[in-house]
Amino acid sequence: MTEKTDETGETDPQTAIDSVAGNRDDRVYEHNAGDEQEGIPFVGAGPGNPRLLTVAGRELLADADLVVHAGSLVNSELLEEYCADAETVSSIGKDLEELIPLMRDAYEDGDTVVRLHSGDPAIYGAALEQMDALEHEGVPTYIVPGVTSAFAASATMRTQLTLNEVANHVAFTRPQGKTLDADEDHISEFVGMGDVTTCIYLGTHAVSETMDRLLEDGHDPETPVAAIYHASWPDEDVIEGTIATIGEKLEDAGYRASAMVVIGDAVGGEDYERSFLYGDWANRGSDSGDSSQEADD
């Protein structure tokens, strides 16, 4: 296949995305998450608080010569504390045609390069397109997981996203807008299932519109909703309400970005049933001598 190039003669990153084969990479069977590997790691910085960076992520940043990070989405305190000896470059405003040669050239020059994403790269991180483009250029890559903002929000709210007899499922989603068509927005479906905790990413600016659509679809206006602004950051703010009230409350607070919106009865952490794990089931398990058996909460 003839490679597509831009005006500089560089390989077009889209070519790498288009040419990814369906065969599973052998490295899937050679490494576990958290292993030290060859190449450029795509590290999840966590939700904001530097202490929520993983040990693996901290070690990789400590050894880095170049850290390409997600701009203001990564707490500057984390960069100051763990990247003091590295050159740091924000990826904000840079496209693939600029980012890929930047990381590739540094790596080929012998520098230790880290790509630092906010939260976890697996959740709305756009990491794979960068990884595929780098791999196409002969630069190996791998992922180092991070704590996603939904988990930080759950910790702040002192509850679980799943609760026995309240929420059996969790949905990570985003609302319709510039990058998601109306028919791809399934928030109403998730809420309608009743036992789903719905976590909305990248939708702070559209909370009022989203709640209005839920009301139009006939959902209970008293369904609990919480918006956690900058979960785990020093300026974290928790706004609690319902489908009927959260939009106005969030607008009054003036937040148009960076809030995790959580919908469902698990928000309040109430009316749940004792799990099987520490009840009669556990006693039966010990009587049978099968200590390896597990139960769902």
Side-chain angles (χ1 to χ4, degrees), residues 11-85:
T11 300
D12 183 350
Q14 185 63 46
T15 302
I17 297 172
D18 294 339
S19 63
V20 173
N23 296 328
R24 180 65 71 182
D25 193 305
D26 288 341
R27 287 171 294 180
V28 170
Y29 311 105
E30 297 169 354
H31 295 285
N32 297 327
D35 283 354
E36 292 186 17
Q37 300 183 42
E38 179 185 357
I40 296 178
F42 279 64
V43 176
N49 190 319
R51 295 185 66 235
L52 296 180
L53 178 69
T54 66
V55 172
R58 183 180 64 192
E59 292 174 347
L60 289 164
L61 290 175
D63 293 336
D65 299 307
L66 172 65
V67 176
V68 180
H69 62 88
S72 61
L73 297 177
V74 174
N75 193 335
S76 60
E77 294 181 5
L78 185 151
L79 297 175
E80 293 167 3
E81 184 170 353
Y82 299 126
C83 307
D85 297 327

Side-chain angles (χ1 to χ4, degrees), residues 46-215:
N49 190 319
R51 295 185 66 235
L52 296 180
L53 178 69
T54 66
V55 172
R58 183 180 64 192
E59 292 174 347
L60 289 164
L61 290 175
D63 293 336
D65 299 307
L66 172 65
V67 176
V68 180
H69 62 88
S72 61
L73 297 177
V74 174
N75 193 335
S76 60
E77 294 181 5
L78 185 151
L79 297 175
E80 293 167 3
E81 184 170 353
Y82 299 126
C83 307
D85 297 327
E87 177 188 359
T88 58
V89 176
S90 171
S91 63
I92 301 300
K94 295 179 175 62
D95 57 22
L96 285 179
E97 285 73 12
E98 186 173 359
L99 285 172
I100 300 309
L102 170 68
M103 292 187 284
R104 177 202 63 203
D105 292 348
Y107 180 80
E108 291 180 345
D109 286 344
D111 289 341
T112 301
V113 181
V114 172
R115 178 65 167 104
L116 188 63
H117 276 249
S118 60
D120 183 291
I123 306 295
Y124 299 117
L128 193 59
E129 62 194 56
Q130 299 171 68
M131 296 172 68
D132 283 342
L134 284 166
E135 296 274 350
H136 195 70
E137 297 286 332
V139 178
T141 61
Y142 62 100
I143 291 175
V144 177
V147 177
T148 188
S149 58
F151 299 156
S154 174
T156 287
M157 297 296 294
R158 304 180 68 86
T159 187
Q160 297 178 194
L161 298 179
T162 59
L163 281 173
N164 195 36
E165 299 299 325
V166 173
N168 294 312
H169 314 280
V170 180
F172 290 171
T173 188
R174 63 185 301 181
Q176 58 186 265
K178 292 182 180 179
T179 58
L180 197 72
D181 293 335
D183 59 356
E184 297 173 319
D185 182 331
H186 300 297
I187 294 174
S188 184
E189 297 170 44
F190 295 140
V191 174
M193 293 177 184
D195 63 343
V196 176
T197 301
T198 304
C199 302
I200 302 177
Y201 288 74
L202 305 172
T204 312
H205 64 287
V207 169
S208 289
E209 294 88 339
T210 299
M211 297 303 132
D212 286 344
R213 286 195 293 271
L214 292 177
L215 291 173

